Amino acid sequence: MNDNLWNMQVMLVIGCLFIHGFTGAPDEIEPLADHLKRRADWEIRTVTLPGHGETETLKGIRYQSWVAAAEEELKLLVKSCDTVYLVGFSMGGVIAGHLTTKYPVTKLVLLSTAVYYINPKQMLKDLKKMAADFLKGELKHNTLFKHYRKKMQETPFRATVEFQKLVRELKPSFQHIHIPTLIVQGERDGVVPVKSANYLYNTIPASEKTLVFLPHSSHHICQGEDQDELLKTVESFLAEKPAEVEHVTS
């Protein structure tokens, strides 16, 4: 990283908002948020969407509440900062894409963004690995098993329907994004298939857009084997001085 890039931005107040995924929490993107805190004097904010976090209570919550919570945090950042970046993970990427079309966001980062979800081929590989660990008596140590079991046990069916509605309603927003956009996708993601990242790249009309695949990463790419590459890629993208872009709203 060229430190001059950071020095060029010293006089600007820069803010960056992170939005986590469905049934998740800010710790999903914490490694990246913490990395940027160490590297730059930015105002870094993360939002915990309603019903999410350590005490997950999704029952009875509509998807509009998730969007509204992220939007309120973004409004505060827009008021206090000269330049604003948005980073969305999984469902948070769908929300971030939507908000980008409504507010003066300068750059957008989409991580494992769920415009499509469930990758059958990778899911089958994950299940085979779980079965092998079960036969060896090591299933309790399988990270993916613990993740899937928690999702199935704690996620109300109605909440899943709300997630699907959110994707369906906000997905068209990607046709109206004209700011520099970075799309990052793990090739071993069993939740969001690779075609989701390809769709985003082909749909977003921005003249500056980059698609990066991480070969060893599953869905939670901020904690994956390619973490170092992810941190460097996002840092480089955000540190680069953007071209003059007209903000277009839908």
Side-chain angles (χ1 to χ4, degrees), residues 145-159:
F145 170 72
K146 290 188 287 186
H147 173 73
Y148 288 137
R149 182 177 62 178
K150 183 177 186 294
K151 296 288 187 186
M152 289 185 289
Q153 290 177 337
E154 299 180 5
T155 304
F157 174 74
R158 183 65 195 179

Side-chain angles (χ1 to χ4, degrees), residues 144-175:
L144 285 173
F145 170 72
K146 290 188 287 186
H147 173 73
Y148 288 137
R149 182 177 62 178
K150 183 177 186 294
K151 296 288 187 186
M152 289 185 289
Q153 290 177 337
E154 299 180 5
T155 304
F157 174 74
R158 183 65 195 179
T160 301
V161 172
E162 290 299 312
F163 162 67
Q164 293 171 338
K165 288 169 63 176
L166 180 146
V167 174
R168 184 171 63 251
E169 292 297 319
L170 303 190
K171 188 175 177 180
S173 298
F174 290 102
Q175 301 173 30

Side-chain angles (χ1 to χ4, degrees), residues 213-228:
F213 289 106
L214 301 179
H216 307 295
S217 294
S218 56
H219 187 56
H220 289 84
I221 55 178
C222 289
Q223 288 95 2
E225 294 183 32
D226 304 300
Q227 185 187 83
D228 288 345

Side-chain angles (χ1 to χ4, degrees), residues 117-120 122-123 126 148 186 188-193 218-219:
Y117 34 91
I118 304 300
N119 180 347
Q122 185 60 46
M123 185 71 75
D126 293 343
Y148 288 137
R188 297 183 181 180
D189 192 334
V191 179
V192 174
S218 56
H219 187 56

